[in-house]
């Protein structure tokens, strides 16, 4: 049988498909699809085969369709329209348009990806088939660190196969770079873009940015050696307007702590803020691939990727507590007048007297470094083949967070604040006093101290070795199987985090204004109130160095659990049979196999022993476990003729726990009154998430021109990881405990709050997708087309929020983080004679997002669903003296969509953020 063999050959030449679409024969015609409204067309005879040259938008679309069609798994794909030209501004934005995928924005950019309603922790990301490290605290990759200009395409595997190492539970995202020997000649491609943000310049930061990239691909030594080198540079302005409230929204107490002037039981907040964030992100990426193929039986490929990114920004912020003005509760009292309560018993506005606002500067600098190196060697030995692969990647993040606080003096300069909390828009906070004069604002020990700082760092390192073989099926089995895959992979990963913190204290000079040489242009906060207007902006690191002292430490009781080392050694073995058969008139291809994972996980850290004498409370602790998972997996592809395809997948899947949940660090103490021990921290004994997954898909293709697809999936999660408090045996911790005089001896059993494996649940969804050039409907619409998808996801899984998130989402169980019930995308395009235009929209319904809080910890919040629209037009010169030149005008976030979070109901807003729209003007040249 040759069906699956040919399909796999086509999949193995993905890079060739991306940049050199083979002539498409329109010989059989297009059959009617009633649901899509296609008109029936008569099949062409063999002697009318046409040769079509595909360029631009259609090149990328048809290459992606080819990948999807020829895969043995259920996949989605994006492919570059040309060298260094993926269809979107970033990897995350591009793949978030695929069916069942959605993005969460950070600093205005799509950063992390959810696959099929599960948070980014459930997916894994590969680069050229090798698992990647991350600069974050956990495993999920921040895609904006990978320049889209250096990638040839991305394949998202929704169903795994047994030979896929590093597979995720929700999906596996494989980013792929070019292979130079797939090109017929040398190519040089240059790209440049300038950008401008609609919010404008502010403080010391420009609203303009740029992107530059260059790629070189060539072949040498009679096409036995290939080289590809690519470089990409990006500078992006950070511009943000934000208003926010304090967590939690709470019912005004009826006695003891009642906020005067507000109806008893009315839901309200105790604080408001407005800020303008300014800064920039700079990123440089370098990719290189060297191929050597001296014969058809041997090839050796070395690929390298490195990225350096720096984000530096300052939030200049007006903020006021509404129940604390240096005294708690306020003295004199912070009285509400004219308070307005809506139909859900929520305070939506009013006037608050006797508040003592602050003007704050919050500075953050983050530096990320990623290095990845791989060496792949492929051999053919008779009818068999073998692959030996070495991989190494390392990521490092260093961060500096500084804040300082100013107030009007002498204390207390009390104010009257008029506030309003709309459902959809910036909150307003109009003060009676003027906060625009830097000579009247003093660095001082305010109601929040004089300042605070953190210096977190993360280091993630992964080494891997893979040995795999492919053996042809014996003649006796050749009617059923094409060949067999067997393989072994060993991965050694370590991740380390440190987070020293500390107060930023005033120096010997005491309270002081900030000198003029450290002042920037003031920022305008009038979006949060016409009376608020402009506030000062200043150099926060400079003011800390000149007027303050900062000595971060990590040995305090509340900091011990933030430093940890986690180690994982994973041995994977697999065996897989590749199916190639016929069932009557139906072709059958696919695979069936089993993957065995043996994991040795451990963690070392310190813990805080509150029972020990002063100076001896910090003690070492390590823990871990070993386990083995056996994962059977099946993929079947039924070819029904006329390009109708039905796919079925079944698999047992796992996803490793979050890395920070595996930490050994904890905070331990014994209640001196009862002798009962307690602790909170990580759990190195965690088992992975596990699920039984079933997928069914129907796809109709029109060669590689168009397709429509309907896919359904069901995941039965057998276990889920929750944060909870359970009874555990603390015998090793209390063995040397000596109770203080008059206190009882320590008990052995107590409560430990940590991450635990618990009951799972079910997740199911339906995905509809289509790609259609309109010339298949009528020649009058030649050049027009669309790609569209919509997904509906439901789950009965409810999880208990962690303590750090209760203030935002409440104590009741919540839905899965990352799950939007409805996700859709739509792109209309036109392409003709070098002219290109497209408008794209992606939508997602409300979801629970994962967001870093002030303390640098991950919390969850309700996020309002988003509707993001992008548009672009371009022209490519395909002949004459300007041949190879392309021009582009692009607008991202066309409608300036806001990012909004809320506490339970939308009339209780937590954050309302706008990052502006970005206009890009660019040119490219290829020769």
């Amino acid at each position: 049988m040759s069906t699956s063999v040919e399909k796999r050959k086509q999949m193995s030449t993905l890079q060739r498909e991306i940049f050199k679409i083979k002539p498409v024969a329109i010989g059989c015609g297009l059959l009617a699809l009633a649901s899509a409204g296609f008109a029936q067309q008569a099949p062409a005879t063999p002697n009318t085969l046409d040769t079509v040259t595909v360029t631009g938008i259609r090149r990328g679309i048809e290459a992606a369709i080819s990948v999807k069609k020829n895969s043995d798994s259920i996949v989605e794909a994006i492919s570059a329209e040309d060298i260094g030209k993926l269809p979107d501004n970033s990897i995350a934005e591009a793949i978030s348009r695929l069916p069942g995928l959605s993005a969460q924005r950070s600093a205005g950019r799509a950063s992390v990806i959810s696959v099929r309603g599960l948070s980014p922790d459930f997916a894994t990301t590969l680069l050229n088939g090798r698992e990647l490290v991350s600069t974050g605290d956990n495993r999920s990759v921040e895609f904006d660190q990978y320049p889209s200009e250096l990638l040839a395409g991305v394949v998202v595997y929704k169903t795994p196969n047994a030979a896929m190492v590093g597979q995720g539970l929700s999906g596996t995202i494989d980013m792929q770079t070019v292979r130079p020997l797939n090109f017929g000649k040398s190519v040089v491609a240059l790209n440049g873009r300038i950008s401008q943000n609609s919010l404008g310049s502010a403080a010391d930061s420009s609203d303009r940015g740029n992107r530059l990239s260059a790629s070189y691909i060539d072949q040498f030594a009679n096409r036995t050696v290939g080289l590809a080198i690519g470089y990409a540079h990006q500078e992006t302005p950070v511009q943000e307007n934000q208003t926010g409230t304090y967590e939690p929204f709470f019912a005004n107490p009826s006695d003891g702590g009642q906020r005067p002037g507000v109806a008893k039981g009315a839901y309200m907040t105790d604080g408001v803020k407005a800020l303008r964030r300014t800064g920039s992100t700079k990123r440089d990426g370098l990719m290189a691939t060297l191929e050597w193929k001296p014969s058809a039986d041997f090839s050796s490929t070395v690929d390298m990727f490195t990225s350096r990114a720096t984000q530096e920004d300052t939030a200049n912020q007006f903020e006021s507590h509404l129940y604390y003005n240096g005294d708690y509760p306020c003295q004199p009292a912070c009285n509400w007048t004219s308070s307005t309560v809506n139909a859900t018993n929520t305070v939506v506005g009013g006037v608050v007297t006797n508040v003592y606002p602050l003007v704050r500067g919050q500075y953050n600098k983050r530096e990320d470094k990623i290095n990845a190196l791989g060496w792949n060697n492929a051999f053919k030995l008779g009818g068999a083949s073998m692959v030996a692969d070495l991989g190494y990647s390392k990521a490092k993040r260093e961060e500096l967070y500084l804040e300082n606080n100013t107030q009007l003096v002498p204390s207390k300069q009390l104010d009257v604040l008029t506030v309003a909390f709309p459902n959809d828009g910036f909150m307003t906070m109009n003060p009676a006093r003027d906060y625009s004069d830097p000579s009247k604002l003093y660095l001082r020990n305010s109601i929040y101290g004089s300042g605070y700082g953190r210096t977190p760092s993360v280091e993630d390192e992964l080494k891997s070795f893979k040995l795999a073989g492919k053996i042809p099926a014996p003649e006796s089995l050749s009617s059923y199987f094409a060949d067999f895959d067997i393989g072994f992979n060993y991965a050694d990963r370590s991740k380390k985090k440190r987070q020293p913190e500390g107060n930023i204290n005033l120096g010997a000079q005491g309270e002081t204004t900030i000198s003029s040489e450290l002042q920037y242009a003031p920022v305008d906060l009038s979006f949060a109130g016409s009376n608020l207007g402009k506030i000062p902006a200043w150099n926060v690191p400079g003011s800390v160095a000149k007027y303050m002292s900062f000595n971060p430490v990590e040995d305090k009781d509340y900091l011990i659990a933030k430093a940890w080392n986690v180690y994982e050694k994973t041995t994977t073995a697999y065996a897989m049979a590749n199916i190639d058969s016929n069932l009557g008139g139906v072709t059958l291809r696919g695979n069936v196999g089993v993957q065995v994972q043996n994991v040795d996980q451990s963690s070392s850290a310190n813990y805080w022993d509150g029972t020990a004498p002063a100076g001896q409370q910090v003690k070492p602790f390590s823990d871990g476990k070993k386990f083995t998972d056996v994962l059977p997996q099946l993929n079947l592809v039924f070819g029904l003729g006329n390009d109708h395809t039905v796919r079925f997948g079944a698999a047992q899947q796992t996803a490793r726990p979050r890395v920070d949940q595996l930490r050994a660090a904890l905070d331990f103490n014994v209640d001196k009154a009862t002798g009962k021990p307690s602790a909170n921290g990580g759990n190195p004994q965690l088992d992975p998430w596990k699920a039984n997954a079933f997928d069914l898909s129907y796809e109709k293709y029109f060669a590689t021109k168009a397709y429509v697809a309907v896919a359904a999936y069901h995941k039965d999660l057998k276990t889920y990881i929750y944060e909870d408090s359970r009874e555990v045996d603390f015998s090793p911790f209390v063995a040397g405990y000596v109770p203080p005089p008059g206190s009882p001896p320590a008990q052995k059993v107590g409560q430990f709050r940590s991450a635990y494996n618990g009951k799972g649940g079910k997740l199911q969804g339906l995905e509809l997708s289509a790609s259609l050039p309109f010339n298949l409907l009528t020649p009058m619409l030649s050049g027009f087309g669309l790609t569209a998808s919509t997904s509906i996801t439901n789950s009965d899984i409810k999880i208990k929020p962690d303590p750090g998130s209760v203030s935002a989402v409440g104590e009741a169980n919540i839905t899965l983080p990352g799950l939007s019930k409805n996700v859709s995308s739509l792109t209309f395009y036109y392409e003709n004679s070098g002219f290109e235009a497209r408008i794209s929209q992606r939508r997602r319904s409300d979801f629970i997002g994962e967001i870093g809080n002030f303390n640098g910890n991950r919390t969850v919040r309700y996020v309002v669903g988003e509707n993001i629209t992008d548009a672009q037009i371009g022209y490519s010169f395909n002949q004459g003296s300007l041949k190879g030149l392309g021009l582009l005008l692009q607008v991202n976030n066309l409608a300036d969509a806001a990012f909004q979070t809320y506490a339970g109901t939308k009339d209780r807003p937590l954050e309302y953020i706008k990052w502006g729209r970005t206009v890009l003007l660019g040119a490219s040249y290829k020769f």
Side-chain angles (χ1 to χ4, degrees), residues 219-242:
Q219 304 79 34
F220 308 92
N222 198 28
R223 295 190 55 81
T224 61
V225 176
L227 175 67
I229 300 175
Y231 168 75
H233 169 79
Q234 176 178 302
E235 294 184 28
T236 305
V238 174
Q239 298 290 347
E240 173 186 318
N241 287 337
Q242 178 187 151

Side-chain angles (χ1 to χ4, degrees), residues 555 560 563 604-613 615-622 664-668 732-738:
D555 59 355
I560 289 298
S604 63
N606 291 324
Y607 76 95
W608 181 269
D609 185 352
T611 69
Q616 302 178 32
Q617 296 102 325
V618 179
K619 298 181 179 180
F621 179 63
S622 60
L666 57 91
D667 179 6
F668 170 78
F733 293 87
V734 299
Y737 175 69
V738 178

Side-chain angles (χ1 to χ4, degrees), residues 726-873:
R726 298 182 183 180
E727 282 195 342
V728 300
D729 186 353
F730 284 105
S731 295
F733 293 87
V734 299
Y737 175 69
V738 178
S743 296
Q747 302 178 33
K748 293 183 178 180
V749 176
Q751 291 290 316
F752 182 34
R753 173 165 287 281
S754 185
Y756 294 98
N757 294 104
K759 182 181 178 181
K762 294 178 172 57
L763 176 80
Q764 52 276 324
L766 181 68
E767 299 168 348
L768 309 175
S769 60
S771 179
L772 171 67
F774 289 169
N775 66 340
L776 296 184
L777 302 175
T778 170
M780 296 177 60
L781 295 176
S782 179
F784 290 94
L786 70 80
T787 61
S789 69
T790 187
S791 305
I792 304 169
T793 307
N794 287 291
S795 175
D796 63 2
I797 303 174
K798 302 291 183 182
I799 66 173
K800 186 176 182 179
D802 62 86
S805 300
V806 168
S807 61
V809 298
E811 296 182 350
N813 289 349
I814 59 175
T815 57
L816 290 173
L819 189 153
S820 288
K821 289 187 177 181
N822 299 289
V823 175
S824 62
S825 69
L826 178 65
T827 298
F828 282 101
Y829 62 86
Y830 175 74
E831 182 177 44
N832 190 16
S833 302
F835 177 79
E836 300 177 5
R838 83 179 102 200
I839 185 166
S840 301
Q841 183 184 74
R842 65 179 191 269
R843 291 174 176 260
R844 67 181 302 184
S845 59
D846 290 11
F847 64 102
I848 291 179
E850 296 174 321
I851 298 170
N853 66 6
F854 171 80
N855 294 321
N857 299 325
R858 185 161 82 166
T859 61
V860 297
R861 292 181 181 175
Y862 290 103
V863 182
V864 176
E866 294 187 313
N867 179 359
I868 309 297
T869 302
D870 304 321
Q872 69 178 53
I873 59 173

Side-chain angles (χ1 to χ4, degrees), residues 585-621:
V586 177
T587 63
L588 174 63
R589 58 187 171 90
N591 49 69
V592 59
V594 62
Q595 184 177 107
V596 180
Q597 298 178 1
N598 179 266
V599 179
D600 180 358
Q601 67 188 30
S602 62
S603 176
S604 63
N606 291 324
Y607 76 95
W608 181 269
D609 185 352
T611 69
Q616 302 178 32
Q617 296 102 325
V618 179
K619 298 181 179 180
F621 179 63

Side-chain angles (χ1 to χ4, degrees), residues 435-455:
Y435 294 87
S436 63
D437 188 350
S439 68
K440 295 180 180 179
L441 290 165
Y442 281 70
L443 287 170
R444 63 182 303 271
N445 287 315
S446 70
I447 62 174
Y448 295 130
S450 54
Y452 196 79
R454 300 189 304 270
T455 59

Side-chain angles (χ1 to χ4, degrees), residues 47 67 100 189 211 215 223 294 307 338 428 430 480 484 487 525 540 552 624 627 632 689 718 741 779 852 876 905:
N47 62 356
V67 172
R211 298 176 66 128
S215 298
R223 295 190 55 81
S307 175
S338 306
T428 58
N430 279 300
Y480 308 100
F484 301 94
L525 301 185
V540 175
F627 60 88
W689 287 292
K718 296 303 183 183
S876 297
T905 61

